[in-house]
Amino acid sequence: MGTDIDGVIEVRERGGRWAIALDLPDPALGRDRYAWECLFGFGGALQVRQALFDQRGCPPDVSDHVPSTCEELHHGHSYATWAEVAAVDWDAPLTDGAAYDRVGVWRPGPDGALVLDHVSWTPIEVLDLAEEIFGEDLMPPEWPEGGEVHWKGAVYRPVTLTARMFAPPDGDWGAAWAAMRELATTHGDGNVRVVVWFG
């Protein structure tokens, strides 16, 4: 058995009480531990310095029917208003320097210039080539400045992790952000929030 995410999008009504507007859209419910870590600090495999909305707990004024107590079936609560989501710099570093065991994989784009294709565990073949190139056994953050490895038509470079790499705003969470944006046009940016929990 694995961990699942659940959540709701709430709006603050005129009387100040929060009410559920809708459940978290299905695309955001996938088991994506890397996205969870970048957004809510749940996980740890990426070793992000601080998630965007890092383990804030359950809001004290959460709407009815949201499980607010921490137990086996629901824990790791966090939340964020649309104002906070809208202000996110998706390209800001989430780690102190380059990732230890991951590399950016760059490939030619439509105009021929290299673009970041994805972030990957560092293949052993790339580490072996790096040792030949740099003259010693080094992990990616230890490569010389500007160091890169060419292998199988791609260029491998050290990479500093960002939220866009694992939880892009137009990815699986895009439907949640779009719903919040739409609700904010009526209720205001600070009066729409997502609340999530794990179990």
Side-chain angles (χ1 to χ4, degrees):
M1 289 184 63
T3 300
D4 291 303
I5 189 172
D6 205 351
V8 295
I9 296 173
E10 300 178 310
V11 296
R12 181 157 40 200
E13 299 176 327
R14 289 186 179 179
R17 291 178 57 86
W18 289 89
I20 297 173
L22 59 140
D23 292 330
L24 203 61
D26 285 346
L29 296 175
R31 286 185 174 171
D32 189 342
R33 296 185 75 87
Y34 293 157
W36 299 348
E37 184 176 353
C38 291
L39 295 172
F40 307 112
F42 187 88
L46 298 175
Q47 299 179 345
V48 302
R49 180 179 66 244
Q50 182 171 359
L52 298 179
F53 317 113
D54 196 10
Q55 298 187 24
R56 296 174 163 185
C58 192
D61 55 355
V62 72
S63 55
D64 293 338
H65 310 299
V66 171
S68 58
T69 59
C70 288
E71 54 187 62
E72 183 179 353
L73 295 179
H74 33 77
H75 54 84
H77 295 72
S78 197
Y79 61 93
T81 66
W82 171 244
E84 293 172 308
V85 175
V88 165
D89 178 355
W90 298 96
D91 298 306
L94 294 179
T95 55
D96 295 318
Y100 182 74
D101 51 10
R102 288 175 172 79
V103 284
V105 183
W106 298 71
R107 298 185 185 278
D111 63 357
L114 289 176
V115 294
L116 181 64
D117 184 70
H118 65 282
V119 175
S120 158
W121 290 100
T122 309
I124 189 66
E125 295 86 351
V126 169
L127 291 174
D128 289 343
L129 285 169
E131 185 171 3
E132 291 179 21
I133 294 168
F134 306 129
E136 54 185 323
D137 185 14
L138 302 173
M139 293 303 288
E142 302 167 326
W143 295 358
E145 185 174 352
E148 59 185 27
V149 172
H150 295 247
W151 182 59
K152 288 192 172 182
V155 178
Y156 294 76
R157 297 171 174 164
V159 64
T160 300
L161 305 182
T162 70
R164 187 181 300 280
M165 293 172 180
F166 296 97
D170 56 352
D172 288 346
W173 280 82
W177 307 146
M180 292 178 72
R181 183 187 307 111
E182 180 65 24
L183 288 166
T185 62
T186 301
H187 298 276
D189 291 0
N191 295 320
V192 177
R193 72 183 176 194
V194 62
V195 180
V196 301
W197 58 93
F198 300 89

